[in-house]
Amino acid sequence: MTFDIKKIRSDFPILTTFVNGKPLVYLDNAATTQKPQPVIDAIIDYYTRYNSNIHRGTHHLSNLATEAHEAARKTVQMYINAQHEHEVVFTRGTTEAINLVAFSFGEAFVNPGDDVIVTEMDHHSNFVPWQMMCERRGANFHVVPFDENGDLKLDVYQNLLSDKTRIVAFNHVSNSLGTINPAREMIQMAHDAGAAVLVDAAQSVQHIEHDVRALDADFYAFSGHKIYGPTGIGVLYGKEKWLNAMPPYQGGGEMIDLVTIEKTTYNKLPFKFEAGTPNIVGPIGLAAAIDYLNGMDFNEIVTHEDDALNYGREQLTQIDGLKIYGNAKHRTSILAFNIDGVHHYDLGTLLDTHGIAVRTGHHCTQPIMQALGIEGTVRASLALYNTREDIDALVLSIHKVLKLLGR
Amino acid sequence: MAAIKDIQAQIIEDFSFLPEWDERYAYLIELGQKAPPLAEAYRTEENIVRGCQSLVWLHRECRQGEVYLQSDSDSLIVKGLAALLLQVFSGQPAEAVLKADLTFFEAIGLNKHLSSQRANGLMAMVQEIKAFAARCAGGSI
Ligand SMILES: Cc1ncc(COP(=O)(O)O)c(C=O)c1O
């Protein structure tokens, strides 16, 4: 199938919405993406036809729900090319997936004096959990800085790695700079030092390579809502050998094997890490989103998004006094900028009156803003349904806003 | 000094002549641009009301049971919104500030700036003003 942008846009009902009397131009996809009709339908279908608790019922609906929930795990497994279905753990989102690993991996493998490495461009969700773990385990917390273009300083990273490094965590794509980090190389470097790696794929799984085995990631985390699926569902992929060696994160129903007053034994993977009634419909919606993407040629999505991104950079840089943040060698989907003398909050607020949805602020990456010496940016972030026309609308509105501001 | 409710009514009337969002914000920005900058001496750490996205400085004085306010922000829109707040509250008896119901933001359609609490310091600013008015009315300053 060829990439038919008209058809794709028509698959996302919200894109025909009007905001403040203007047609919505949705450019806040790094925060969350919109949902195509098949995802909305899958959710409605679940609640309409077969809502039921799973893994425990003997009745018909429970079987249907369990089958759909577990089929979704298979869909995720195939999408990220995991070796085993039970290496896919459902979580609330990226944040919970990372917290799970920070806790359980930390308990099992991190001891006082060990090293943990993250990067200066990581989202607070892939930063704070590791800080907390280091505090709890008495380990040292190290941060790889980035250079003026927004590329990680790999020489510093190399020097930080040693036989004391237990785990490295970094985002494949930065939500504030759009940098695509050289994940394969960084993982290889960590493995050479004997360390495990968690890849925060929240901003990459929907835009670029997402093959956990090609990457050789030990852990890989992403959120359903950023890949056209529902909120409240995320994925933690972990290599079987690690997941088996890690203690559970939370206790409760589903995660147990045998419970007695003396001792509890735990369920097998992945259920050991899925305590309590899970988000049942979440994976079903997520699988519908992945199926939707699978209906296209992923390379065409990449080409289309890159075209909009490059066009956006080209157009934005023509605006007087506009500065783009993030000039890394390899980039995707993010256009972050400021305009001289204009506060990002003012620009974002005024763009909203034109129906243009962008995000402003520090984007949950305060260390990046500190490194850049700024308070925040305006961020336009792209998804597969964005077009050059969306960029044109953004640029036109920026000009109108600047005029309003008397510039 | 007009009463708080009359000042709010006046603001609501002023905005009724500005049906378009563009016009409302243009007016707010004008207010922000016209408002005098806060004296350097008052741009202190303790006068900062921290929002997630913008900084607001709020200088408070209590004189004979009346509340006097000055403010500034790095965002023009927030500065304009703060200027409206000051129109309503500054120079008023502390008792009146304390009792006042802030209705005009909603009436002029700018409530989102108050409700998105973390985004700007405006809600925090209102709380600070109320807390200050309570101390001013109680005679503790
Ligand atoms: C790079 C990155 N990591 C982690 C997260 C956290 O994702 P969630 O809030 O869905 O858990 C985000 C979301 O903004 C992100 O951009």
Side-chain angles (χ1 to χ4, degrees):
Chain A
M1 200 193 93
T2 55
F3 194 83
D4 180 352
I5 187 66
K6 267 223 186 80
K7 161 79 171 63
I8 287 168
R9 289 187 64 86
S10 73
D11 290 335
F12 290 79
I14 211 169
L15 295 180
T16 57
T17 304
F18 277 68
V19 171
N20 294 322
K22 313 275 168 44
L24 168 69
V25 176
Y26 188 76
L27 293 169
D28 194 17
N29 294 288
T32 201
T33 53
Q34 300 303 343
K35 321 306 172 200
Q37 195 63 49
V39 170
I40 299 167
D41 288 346
I43 294 167
I44 294 173
D45 184 51
Y46 167 76
Y47 283 120
T48 312
R49 280 199 315 115
Y50 62 100
N51 170 50
S52 191
N53 210 330
I54 56 173
H55 296 144
R56 47 183 94 171
T58 48
H59 58 80
H60 179 65
L61 290 190
S62 177
N63 290 335
L64 286 181
T66 305
E67 271 169 32
H69 187 87
E70 290 308 318
R73 203 185 300 274
K74 184 90 198 160
T75 303
V76 171
Q77 179 205 345
M78 303 309 272
Y79 185 73
I80 61 174
N81 193 30
Q83 189 174 359
H84 305 291
E85 214 171 302
H86 59 252
E87 291 174 323
V88 174
V89 176
F90 287 127
T91 64
R92 219 155 37 85
T94 308
T95 304
E96 189 179 57
I98 295 169
N99 275 280
L100 189 163
V101 178
F103 179 82
S104 296
F105 184 92
E107 290 295 297
F109 297 109
V110 180
N111 293 305
D114 286 347
D115 288 343
V116 172
I117 300 176
V118 303
T119 84
E120 196 179 20
M121 68 167 78
D122 272 290
H123 190 280
H124 296 161
S125 290
N126 196 32
F127 199 92
V128 181
W130 303 109
Q131 264 178 332
M132 289 164 62
M133 183 257 262
C134 285
E135 215 157 276
R136 204 171 52 240
R137 306 297 301 172
N140 307 309
F141 181 70
H142 297 282
V143 179
V144 182
F146 61 84
D147 68 16
E148 64 282 359
N149 292 325
D151 280 312
L152 287 174
K153 295 186 177 170
L154 292 186
D155 52 334
V156 179
Y157 173 51
Q158 183 66 69
N159 287 337
L160 284 172
L161 286 165
S162 77
D163 59 0
K164 287 190 346 190
T165 311
R166 290 293 152 264
I167 189 161
V168 176
F170 65 87
N171 55 26
H172 199 171
V173 167
S174 157
N175 66 304
S176 291
L177 301 169
T179 305
I180 301 178
N181 286 314
R184 289 189 193 210
E185 188 185 343
M186 290 176 69
I187 292 168
Q188 186 59 55
M189 286 161 77
H191 286 171
D192 288 346
V197 178
L198 178 139
V199 176
D200 173 353
Q203 300 295 348
S204 60
V205 70
Q206 68 285 54
H207 295 301
I208 59 167
E209 169 185 41
H210 45 260
D211 180 330
V212 293
R213 273 190 285 174
L215 290 167
D216 201 17
D218 298 282
F219 301 100
Y220 186 87
F222 68 94
S223 297
H225 70 97
K226 293 187 200 276
I227 178 172
Y228 314 106
T231 48
I233 186 68
V235 168
L236 170 67
Y237 158 83
K239 282 182 184 166
E240 181 183 41
K241 65 164 182 184
W242 292 121
L243 293 180
N244 271 330
M246 284 156 48
Y249 176 47
Q250 295 177 330
E254 294 262 355
M255 55 77 71
I256 50 89
D257 172 28
L258 263 179
V259 180
T260 64
I261 292 172
E262 292 73 34
K263 183 172 171 56
T264 292
T265 54
Y266 306 127
N267 203 339
K268 60 188 194 311
L269 292 178
F271 309 111
K272 179 172 108 179
F273 291 106
E274 295 179 350
T277 297
N279 179 346
I280 299 167
V281 70
I284 294 170
L286 172 59
I290 291 174
D291 285 340
Y292 178 77
L293 290 180
N294 286 340
M296 293 173 228
D297 176 347
F298 197 80
N299 291 320
E300 290 190 316
I301 297 179
V302 176
T303 305
H304 172 82
E305 289 181 348
D306 282 351
D307 176 71
L309 179 70
N310 293 329
Y311 180 73
R313 288 178 68 90
E314 206 180 284
Q315 295 299 308
L316 285 172
T317 41
Q318 287 175 29
I319 296 172
D320 234 14
L322 186 144
K323 177 175 168 143
I324 290 199
Y325 297 96
N327 299 297
K329 285 197 273 301
H330 302 285
R331 301 178 298 258
T332 176
S333 63
I334 305 286
L335 293 160
F337 57 93
N338 272 323
I339 300 177
D340 269 349
V342 180
H343 195 277
H344 51 81
Y345 184 75
D346 294 349
L347 189 49
T349 303
L350 294 168
L351 286 174
D352 178 57
T353 67
H354 294 255
I356 305 211
V358 294
R359 175 130 179 231
T360 65
H362 56 60
H363 316 294
C364 298
T365 54
Q366 288 178 13
I368 294 187
M369 301 302 142
Q370 287 151 15
L372 297 172
I374 55 177
E375 292 288 327
T377 64
V378 178
R379 181 187 72 185
S381 52
L382 307 170
L384 81 151
Y385 39 69
N386 288 119
T387 59
R388 287 183 172 216
E389 284 74 39
D390 291 338
I391 301 291
D392 290 338
L394 170 68
V395 170
L396 183 69
S397 291
I398 290 176
H399 282 298
K400 287 186 182 161
V401 166
L402 290 178
K403 206 160 151 207
L404 184 105
L405 288 166
R407 292 167 40 96
Chain B
M1 190 91 229
I4 288 180
K5 76 171 185 354
D6 297 333
I7 300 173
Q8 295 203 69
Q10 185 60 51
I11 292 174
I12 293 166
E13 194 187 329
D14 291 346
F15 273 82
S16 71
F17 297 113
L18 308 169
E20 298 292 327
W21 284 111
D22 274 21
E23 300 169 328
R24 289 187 175 203
Y25 280 110
Y27 180 62
L28 268 184
I29 285 161
E30 204 184 307
L31 281 177
Q33 282 165 336
K34 275 206 232 136
L38 193 64
E40 217 32 67
Y42 297 152
R43 286 177 173 259
T44 57
E45 190 62 30
E46 65 184 31
N47 275 348
I48 287 181
V49 182
R50 212 169 279 281
C52 194
Q53 298 215 20
S54 61
L55 279 178
V56 187
W57 289 269
L58 177 65
H59 176 68
R60 290 144 276 200
E61 280 179 47
C62 172
R63 289 185 236 139
Q64 281 103 43
E66 287 174 349
V67 172
Y68 291 87
L69 306 163
Q70 297 176 55
S71 93
D72 208 342
S73 171
D74 54 352
S75 148
L76 279 177
I77 290 177
V78 175
K79 193 174 176 193
L81 291 163
L84 288 176
L85 265 185
L86 264 49
Q87 274 183 28
V88 172
F89 285 142
S90 190
Q92 297 290 345
E95 285 288 356
V97 172
L98 205 51
K99 277 198 235 120
D101 227 357
L102 211 53
T103 52
F104 78 94
F105 276 119
E106 185 158 10
I108 63 179
L110 292 172
N111 220 26
K112 72 163 187 180
H113 293 281
L114 271 190
S115 54
S116 57
Q117 290 201 26
R118 274 156 35 95
N120 59 49
L122 213 67
M123 191 67 201
M125 189 171 163
V126 174
Q127 284 159 357
E128 295 273 342
I129 293 173
K130 291 265 184 185
F132 183 76
R135 284 191 289 142
C136 183
S140 69
I141 33 178

